[in-house]
Amino acid sequence: MRIKSTDDREQLWENLCEATDEQATSKALDTAARYYLKMCGGVAAYGRGDVQRLLDAAEEHGSLTAPEIAAILDERELPVEYETRSSVGKE
């Protein structure tokens, strides 16, 4: 398969390589496609999708903490990072 290169695509692919930390455009496209399918779902190989799972969990629980959201959306290729802070009493 050949994809015609345009100025917009060249910039998009460069940004995608940077975001995925891949050196090769083909690897960056593969990583992005897997991530998209995992998030959206709707195909047999990927089930419902993480976005739908996140919406379902929010509806079921009313609200979610940052760690709960990260656990649902975590992806090997593009991890979700979060930070939490807890305190008791005065800071």
Side-chain angles (χ1 to χ4, degrees):
M1 171 175 76
R2 296 186 64 102
I3 301 174
K4 183 178 179 182
S5 180
T6 64
D7 289 341
D8 287 343
R9 282 185 179 152
E10 287 291 331
Q11 184 62 54
L12 180 65
W13 295 339
E14 184 179 315
N15 293 340
L16 193 57
C17 285
E18 182 180 338
T20 59
D21 200 29
E22 295 286 358
Q23 301 301 312
T25 301
S26 60
K27 288 182 180 182
L29 288 169
D30 287 347
T31 299
R34 283 187 196 95
Y35 185 77
Y36 180 86
L37 290 169
K38 185 176 183 303
M39 291 293 118
C40 290
V43 294
Y46 289 89
R48 297 199 62 204
D50 286 351
V51 171
Q52 188 59 54
R53 288 180 43 234
L54 179 62
L55 293 172
D56 293 345
E59 187 172 295
E60 180 181 331
H61 300 287
S63 66
L64 300 170
T65 65
E68 290 169 331
I69 293 169
I72 292 170
L73 295 181
D74 199 345
E75 167 61 34
R76 184 177 52 84
E77 288 88 356
L78 301 172
V80 175
E81 296 180 15
Y82 64 92
E83 179 180 319
T84 60
R85 188 179 331 166
S86 300
S87 65
V88 176
K90 296 180 182 180
E91 286 190 33

